[in-house]
Amino acid sequence: MEKWYLMTIVVLIGLTVRWTVSLNPYSGAGKPPMFGDYEAQRHWQEITFNLPVKQWYFNSSDNNLQYWGLDYPPLTAYHSLLCAYVAKFINADWIALHTSRGYESQAHKLFMRSTVLIADLLIYIPAVVLYCCCLKEISTKKKIANVLCILLYPGLILIDYGHFQNIYNSVSLGFALWGVLGVSCDWDLLGSLAFCLAINYKQMELYHSLPFFCFLLGKCFKKGLKGKGLVLLVKLACTVVASFILCWLPFFTEREQTLQVLRRLFPVDRGLFEACLKTFLFFLFCFTFLSLLPACIKLTLQPSSKGFKFTLVSCALSFFLFSFQVHEKSILLVSLPVCLVLSDIPFMSTWFLLVSTFSMLPLLLKDELLMPSVVTTMAFFIACVTFFSIFEKTSEEELQLKSFSISVRKYLPCFTFLSRIIQYLFLISVTTMVLLTLMTVTLDPPQKLPDLFSVLVCFVSCLNFLFFLVYFNIIIMWDSQNGRNQKKIS
Amino acid sequence: MRGIPDMNQVGRKRALRSNGGAHNCGWYRQLVFGFGARGDSPQMSSHPHLATSEWTLDYPPFFAWFEYILSHVAKYFDQEMLNVHNLNYSSSRTLLFQRFSVIFTDILFVYAVHECCKCIGGKKVGKELTEKPKFILSVLLLWNFGLLIVDHIHFQYNGFLFGLMLLSIARLFQKRHMEGAFLFAVLLHFKHIYLYVAPAYGVYLLRSYCFTANKSDGSIRWNSFSFVRVISLGLVVFLVSALSLGPFLALNQLHQVFSRLFPFKRGLCHAYWAPNFWALYNGLDKVLSVIGLKLKFLDPNKIPKASMTSGLVQQFQHTVLPSVTPLATLICTLIAILPSIFCLWFKPQGPRGFLRCLILCALSSFMFGWHVHEKAILLAILPMSLLSVGKAGDASVFLILTTTGHYSLFPLLFTAPELPIKILLMLLFTIYSISSLKTLFRKEKPLFNWMETFYLLGLGPLEVCCEFVFPLTSWKLKYPFIPLLLTSVYCAVGITYAWFKLYVSVLIDPPVVKTKKQ
């Protein structure tokens, strides 16, 4: 079968699954006075359309920041403005200042869902398709299967189309993916431009900024800091500064504007400022950086596309595990890079992506998304098993742990059962997840511990994520030795 | 007073069947009646609610018993839905039960597809799994857009019934004629629409099973007639019918049952014209009446005001062309079926010939039948899938028939949330079917000529016009039925063309006596 027929079919399947999930209820449906985050999106359209730019981030009689104030960078605001223009064309009541609070109707729901689908179709899906087409050393069929599995990843679908919590995650992730694509294919300027757009869309993308920085810096060093490298460095710096200026232009006119926006984006005055808390935060910060420093240093010294992707995973995971005030959906920032390495380590990636979906279980149950999450997870799992034959790829070499186990075997000659341990761990993990899901759905928690199940889910997920953090760091650190050995041999 | 169709009324009636929750309104009401009626006593006619409700049992007795069994399972889900007084009842548990019951009964359909895939031979084009005819056939059947839409979104139990039909066809291919006959008899008593294809079964079984051998040139050998086989077939059919209709015969309600099953009081066409010959006939009538009015040949006062696309199923008259009676449609159908039956009798080509005749019977009945529902096109599409992976000519006809037939099902889903779903699913199925069959027959001449390609591509702009452009124009209030009319007539052209092409290929093909390999 010709390539583009299959690719079209795969993209259509992705779109169909997305729209089918979106036919479910959304968070905050019919729950005054604050409603849910669906209302937040609608409110932002109202604000950006009716008020001048200078008032978007400020508290005023027209713009009550306590009621879903804007707390994303300017690009989100511009996107809301664009959607507001379309909304005005269809039905001006949807964005009328003040009077449209809590507006809920079938037509409006449809409109909001459509904006998500269109944004997805324009930004995220082309990035995925192009990325998989640019993968090297795999057959066409595998590339198309890769697209299918990435598009079927349940976490992103459920959050963007089911949960409606700060939707348009696919936009920021899509931009980040364009960035990864550009930088991996040596279109550094375009890649960094795309990534700047991603950061200016949602500030969470800063989780990915360190690997980008280190990789590009490493490329500059490799080209020689006296010649081409310096030129590249300067060009990159200019691109980044220019893109930031372009996005923030209306807010650079006054210092107060810029500061206010920053205050909305990074609300550091949440929580108490006691001395012990400050110390705790300081140590947390140090710990985070310590956990990701080795990988970043390695990436700077030996920039490679593969190392870049793995470093993205490990950095984002470190930030996710050790940062302050992290939302559950931030796991999506880790899931995207893991999707990118699906073809390299299918078994571990599939496992991680299943755990990441599971970790959002309390959030999904709150929005009555049990059925869609079960169905999409099963579809994703079956797709991965069928196309990647993940259960046949559990040998040490396939798991990229060969050099690591060789090193360990120098000290412990009997260390031959690594892959078997990992398979057992997988089984335990999956069984625990299934059991916990069943328990959460069928049983009622004891009265004294009403949050028991949520806490258990968090705990189990956290254990899994710590394991993955160690695993990905091992891959990154031991990859160099393999590379060096191979160079010596050849 | 008859007037311009009251689209609000149509809308309301359809709203009862609208997406998600209430599409099953009609069908679980049957559940109610099944339980209510059966629980007390099997007296369908005397139950007072049957007269007043709009959704009443109009399928043969086996289906009623099927609903009865379902109702016994239903009480574990939600007791309330079985209350006869609870019309329009809808709850999430009801919905869950309904949807799961469809999915569960589809197991029979999956088994039938499995059996069919075993029967087809098919040439070996490539070693890849996705290029084998069996794989393509199974995808074409299991993911058939029409079946998905009708069963799982619109809600019915067609998967289960088509499973029975495909299974009986598979049994005939496997030369297990008695089983095939039995299955078909059972199927008839589940849904009497399968009477459309009964002639094919009857003639084939008589010709190829009761006459055990042929002469060397393929013609009939009269002395090989086997009485045993005839009698055993007759016995099977009789027993099944007795089981089904017996109780009602004993209660003297047979007349009532038949009047429910064959409601000839309904009009020539459904609210939305099925894309058959009568759609073209109605369209022509309308065009001629408009022309006649403009050129003052007709007197406006004499024309009945009722539009044929009214949402209510009434009887009506044509204005220019002669009106059509049920008898006329029956005669037309019989005339249309006759050539294929003769082919089956005089040039029997084994099970493959039977399959072609079956498809032609189904299509001809669709073309000329009385009050045909557009879903009936599935009766022709699903068996045709079996032929499509065999020959390039059949694949071409199949693709035209399927694409237009599936497009004609679009008006069944008319709410805005379902719009992307039906477009996406339709695109998925169409792209897959065209590309896989093209790949399968890539060594032969192209599947479509330029005319057919243009016609199929024209479906895209038609959809855009009907669903996106038209609602924004001022004509929406004045002529609200135009999208339905256009869809109907456009698809009717395609389906008529496919019917014609298939007929020609059946009549012209030389009688080849092949033994079917399994």
Side-chain angles (χ1 to χ4, degrees):
Chain A
M1 205 181 286
E2 295 189 27
K3 245 194 298 182
W4 71 269
Y5 278 128
L6 268 180
M7 196 60 96
T8 322
I9 289 177
V10 161
V11 168
L12 285 173
I13 291 178
L15 287 174
T16 313
V17 172
R18 280 159 166 74
W19 189 262
T20 322
V21 170
S22 80
L23 293 175
N24 280 281
Y26 52 84
S27 79
K31 289 180 200 153
M34 287 296 276
F35 302 94
D37 299 289
Y38 173 93
E39 165 67 13
Q41 299 293 329
R42 191 215 53 75
H43 182 68
W44 293 345
Q45 289 173 13
E46 173 194 335
I47 292 293
T48 51
F49 186 78
N50 291 305
L51 298 178
V53 177
K54 302 229 182 288
Q55 290 185 25
W56 285 356
Y57 286 93
F58 280 97
N59 210 350
S60 68
S61 57
D62 284 335
N63 180 12
N64 180 7
L65 289 181
Q66 297 284 37
Y67 184 78
W68 303 118
L70 257 177
D71 49 6
Y72 279 125
L75 216 56
T76 300
Y78 301 147
H79 185 203
S80 294
L81 184 61
L82 188 65
C83 294
Y85 274 115
V86 179
K88 174 90 197 293
F89 177 69
I90 302 176
N91 182 351
D93 285 337
W94 291 346
I95 46 163
L97 194 57
H98 298 310
T99 49
S100 61
R101 284 218 180 163
Y103 192 100
E104 288 177 344
S105 79
Q106 186 76 305
H108 188 237
K109 178 182 171 188
L110 206 60
F111 166 71
M112 295 298 279
R113 298 280 192 216
S114 316
T115 55
V116 183
L117 192 74
I118 291 174
D120 216 340
L121 191 57
L122 288 176
I123 298 180
Y124 180 69
I125 294 183
V128 172
V129 170
L130 214 61
Y131 173 80
C132 290
C133 288
C134 292
L135 282 173
K136 301 188 179 77
E137 291 166 25
I138 59 175
S139 69
T140 315
K141 281 215 177 274
K142 273 266 148 64
K143 288 182 189 174
I144 297 178
N146 213 353
V147 175
L148 181 65
C149 290
I150 297 182
L151 287 183
L152 280 182
Y153 168 57
L156 188 55
I157 299 179
L158 291 166
I159 292 291
D160 260 9
Y161 293 91
H163 177 58
F164 235 104
Q165 160 81 342
N166 294 331
I167 43 169
Y168 309 122
N169 291 297
S170 51
V171 176
S172 62
L173 289 174
F175 278 131
L177 188 48
W178 282 110
V180 171
L181 190 61
V183 158
S184 306
C185 296
D186 287 330
W187 301 327
D188 296 322
L189 295 180
L190 287 172
S192 42
L193 173 67
F195 185 65
C196 289
L197 288 177
I199 297 184
N200 280 314
Y201 197 88
K202 283 196 199 277
Q203 66 271 31
M204 288 187 321
E205 286 290 331
L206 282 171
Y207 282 16
H208 292 153
S209 53
L210 210 54
F212 267 92
F213 176 71
C214 294
F215 185 48
L216 289 168
L217 196 63
K219 274 196 183 180
C220 294
F221 283 158
K222 212 169 164 190
K223 289 198 174 164
L225 214 50
K226 298 240 168 99
K228 283 190 185 171
L230 191 62
V231 172
L232 183 61
L233 192 61
V234 169
K235 277 195 207 168
L236 284 170
C238 289
T239 316
V240 169
V241 168
S243 52
F244 266 86
I245 289 180
L246 210 65
C247 291
W248 288 62
L249 200 56
F251 303 99
F252 274 157
T253 47
E254 289 167 13
R255 194 162 165 273
E256 187 53 35
Q257 280 277 340
T258 326
L259 282 178
Q260 174 67 4
V261 178
L262 285 172
R263 253 179 250 137
R264 291 296 302 166
L265 295 186
F266 304 105
V268 289
D269 47 348
R270 282 189 204 169
L272 307 163
F273 267 105
E274 296 173 5
C276 54
L277 188 68
K278 277 190 189 168
T279 334
F280 170 69
L281 284 179
F282 177 68
F283 276 116
L284 202 62
F285 209 57
C286 286
F287 197 68
T288 316
F289 268 98
L290 272 175
S291 62
L292 47 85
L293 219 50
C296 288
I297 291 180
K298 174 135 185 266
L299 186 61
T300 319
L301 296 176
Q302 293 173 4
S304 73
S305 204
K306 190 173 153 197
F308 173 52
K309 288 187 283 198
F310 282 109
T311 317
L312 274 172
V313 176
S314 98
C315 277
L317 194 51
S318 305
F319 273 117
F320 176 78
L321 283 172
F322 304 123
S323 272
F324 186 60
Q325 283 229 345
V326 168
H327 195 280
E328 290 147 305
K329 72 173 169 71
S330 309
I331 196 64
L332 292 176
L333 290 163
V334 193
S335 301
L336 177 73
V338 173
C339 285
L340 301 184
V341 298
L342 196 56
S343 51
D344 294 319
I345 35 166
F347 177 68
M348 298 299 279
S349 308
T350 312
W351 184 4
F352 180 88
L353 293 170
L354 289 173
V355 174
S356 66
T357 314
F358 169 74
S359 71
M360 296 190 284
L361 188 68
L363 195 62
L364 300 171
L365 283 179
K366 193 165 66 108
D367 282 325
E368 294 159 31
L369 286 172
L370 177 66
M371 182 75 72
S373 36
V374 167
V375 172
T376 43
T377 310
M378 275 180 19
F380 171 74
F381 185 61
I382 292 175
C384 286
V385 168
T386 320
F387 293 115
F388 286 107
S389 342
I390 55 173
F391 292 120
E392 291 158 24
K393 296 200 176 150
T394 50
S395 69
E396 280 176 13
E397 178 149 345
E398 301 275 5
L399 293 174
Q400 315 239 347
L401 288 173
K402 191 155 191 175
S403 34
F404 169 69
S405 48
I406 290 176
S407 320
V408 172
R409 252 173 259 151
K410 284 185 200 157
Y411 306 101
L412 283 172
C414 53
F415 190 68
T416 49
F417 34 77
L418 188 58
S419 68
R420 210 174 297 171
I421 293 181
I422 291 188
Q423 286 172 25
Y424 282 142
L425 283 175
F426 172 76
L427 257 144
I428 296 175
S429 165
V430 169
T431 324
T432 327
M433 292 197 293
V434 170
L435 276 175
L436 259 181
T437 315
L438 281 171
M439 274 169 37
T440 323
V441 168
T442 47
L443 301 175
D444 284 326
Q447 283 219 337
K448 285 189 192 163
L449 307 162
D451 290 322
L452 178 66
F453 291 132
S454 311
V455 170
L456 277 176
V457 166
C458 276
F459 182 66
V460 167
S461 316
C462 186
L463 282 179
N464 278 291
F465 289 144
L466 282 167
F467 166 72
F468 280 111
L469 185 65
V470 170
Y471 169 75
F472 280 111
N473 274 304
I474 289 179
I475 292 189
I476 296 172
M477 299 318 293
W478 262 264
D479 189 43
S480 67
Q481 303 211 336
N482 199 14
R484 240 182 272 152
N485 287 338
Q486 279 191 340
K487 275 187 187 161
K488 277 187 186 166
I489 294 169
S490 61
Chain B
M1 189 181 86
R2 293 180 183 189
I4 296 170
D6 181 4
M7 288 313 280
N8 285 334
Q9 198 164 16
V10 173
R12 246 179 278 129
K13 208 171 174 160
R14 282 177 148 183
L16 283 176
R17 297 175 141 208
S18 65
N19 71 313
H23 254 308
N24 53 347
C25 262
W27 298 97
Y28 68 72
R29 226 65 57 71
Q30 304 211 352
L31 209 68
V32 168
F33 293 122
F35 184 65
R38 296 291 179 184
D40 305 334
S41 62
Q43 287 190 1
M44 281 163 47
S45 57
S46 59
H47 204 291
H49 285 268
L50 283 164
T52 51
S53 166
E54 22 184 1
W55 314 107
T56 52
L57 209 52
D58 49 2
Y59 282 145
F62 275 177
F63 200 81
W65 287 112
F66 170 67
E67 298 271 12
Y68 179 58
I69 295 173
L70 277 181
S71 67
H72 276 294
V73 181
K75 66 181 179 216
Y76 294 111
F77 276 77
D78 190 345
Q79 191 73 8
E80 286 300 306
M81 73 167 140
L82 298 174
N83 190 338
V84 182
H85 300 277
N86 268 343
L87 296 181
N88 283 335
Y89 179 74
S90 175
S91 77
S92 60
R93 279 181 146 189
T94 313
L95 197 56
L96 204 66
F97 170 70
Q98 300 286 105
R99 300 270 183 233
F100 270 119
S101 63
V102 176
I103 294 174
F104 183 73
T105 50
D106 270 353
I107 290 178
L108 181 62
F109 183 68
V110 174
Y111 174 67
V113 170
H114 173 71
E115 290 290 309
C116 282
C117 288
K118 283 202 299 194
C119 294
I120 57 155
K123 44 197 190 162
K124 295 189 178 139
V125 179
K127 285 191 185 158
E128 285 197 43
L129 174 68
T130 54
E131 290 192 8
K132 287 199 178 134
K134 290 189 205 244
F135 178 79
I136 297 177
L137 177 65
S138 54
V139 174
L140 288 178
L141 283 173
L142 287 173
W143 293 95
N144 187 297
F145 168 79
L147 202 55
L148 268 176
I149 292 282
V150 165
D151 259 14
H152 295 280
I153 301 184
H154 191 64
F155 188 76
Q156 278 185 2
Y157 290 102
N158 288 304
F160 168 64
L161 298 171
F162 278 116
L164 275 176
M165 183 169 95
L166 287 175
L167 197 57
S168 79
I169 293 175
R171 290 290 177 250
L172 291 179
F173 265 84
Q174 292 162 350
K175 307 242 183 277
R176 288 150 73 166
H177 296 97
M178 291 293 285
E179 286 183 44
F182 169 71
L183 284 166
F184 184 69
V186 168
L187 179 63
L188 262 186
H189 287 278
F190 262 104
K191 201 167 177 184
H192 52 296
I193 202 176
Y194 293 94
L195 270 175
Y196 285 175
V197 301
Y201 272 90
V203 171
Y204 175 71
L205 284 169
L206 195 60
R207 175 73 178 83
S208 301
Y209 182 60
C210 298
F211 289 96
T212 45
N214 291 332
K215 290 192 196 148
S216 49
D217 62 352
S219 64
I220 196 167
R221 185 184 286 187
W222 291 98
N223 56 5
S224 67
F225 186 73
S226 158
F227 274 107
V228 175
R229 289 187 171 186
V230 168
I231 292 182
S232 49
L233 275 179
L235 209 63
V236 163
V237 175
F238 176 72
L239 279 175
V240 173
S241 309
L243 195 63
S244 148
L245 298 170
F248 297 96
L249 190 64
L251 289 164
N252 258 339
Q253 290 183 353
L254 217 51
H255 171 74
Q256 173 70 2
V257 173
F258 280 126
S259 76
R260 294 298 314 156
L261 294 184
F262 303 103
F264 278 107
K265 291 214 183 80
R266 297 189 189 169
L268 173 65
C269 290
H270 202 63
Y272 155 64
W273 307 339
N276 59 6
F277 177 76
W278 303 122
L280 294 173
Y281 191 82
N282 289 345
L284 188 63
D285 185 64
K286 262 211 167 337
V287 165
L288 287 177
S289 69
V290 165
I291 293 177
L293 275 174
K294 283 255 161 69
L295 299 176
K296 309 264 192 267
F297 283 144
L298 299 170
D299 183 6
N301 295 327
K302 289 193 193 155
I303 298 175
K305 292 257 166 68
S307 163
M308 277 172 272
T309 47
S310 162
L312 310 168
V313 285
Q314 317 147 322
Q315 290 178 300
F316 45 77
Q317 315 272 328
H318 288 94
T319 38
V320 176
L321 300 170
S323 286
V324 183
T325 60
L327 190 61
T329 60
L330 189 64
I331 295 176
C332 286
T333 315
L334 285 174
I335 296 177
I337 291 181
L338 235 41
S340 55
I341 298 283
F342 280 157
C343 252
L344 189 60
W345 182 268
F346 292 116
K347 295 193 293 182
Q349 295 181 28
R352 208 159 266 272
F354 156 69
L355 192 55
R356 287 163 165 262
C357 181
L358 183 145
I359 296 167
L360 279 172
C361 284
L363 260 182
S364 308
S365 311
F366 179 82
M367 289 296 296
F368 295 103
W370 178 266
H371 200 80
V372 170
H373 198 284
E374 61 271 11
K375 294 193 294 256
I377 195 67
L378 288 177
L379 217 73
I381 289 180
L382 285 172
M384 184 96 207
S385 319
L386 288 157
L387 285 184
S388 68
V389 293
K391 265 169 52 176
D394 287 339
S396 160
V397 173
F398 168 73
L399 285 172
I400 299 175
L401 183 66
T402 303
T403 316
T404 36
H406 283 164
Y407 181 75
S408 71
L409 292 174
F410 265 27
L412 280 179
L413 303 180
F414 48 86
T415 61
E418 290 159 343
L419 179 65
I421 296 246
K422 72 185 183 193
I423 293 181
L424 287 170
L425 286 177
M426 172 92 186
L427 278 175
L428 262 172
F429 185 80
T430 313
I431 291 180
Y432 177 78
S433 55
I434 293 181
S435 61
S436 60
L437 287 175
K438 265 198 174 164
T439 315
L440 190 60
F441 296 114
R442 60 176 174 261
K443 294 195 180 132
E444 310 189 22
K445 63 176 173 61
L447 290 180
F448 299 126
N449 59 30
W450 64 269
M451 212 170 50
E452 294 162 356
T453 318
F454 266 123
Y455 174 78
L456 287 178
L457 286 175
L459 287 172
L462 181 67
E463 167 69 6
V464 168
C465 279
C466 289
E467 300 252 24
F468 297 105
V469 174
F470 185 79
L472 299 172
T473 61
S474 60
W475 287 346
K476 184 174 184 201
L477 293 164
K478 229 169 135 198
Y479 308 112
F481 51 83
I482 283 198
L484 292 180
L485 196 144
L486 282 176
T487 310
S488 208
V489 170
Y490 195 87
C491 292
V493 169
I495 293 180
T496 315
Y497 175 78
W499 171 68
F500 201 65
K501 211 170 162 188
L502 185 62
Y503 232 128
V504 165
S505 80
V506 165
L507 292 175
I508 287 184
D509 269 352
V512 180
V513 182
K514 266 191 199 160
T515 48
K516 186 78 201 73
K517 276 188 193 166
Q518 293 193 20

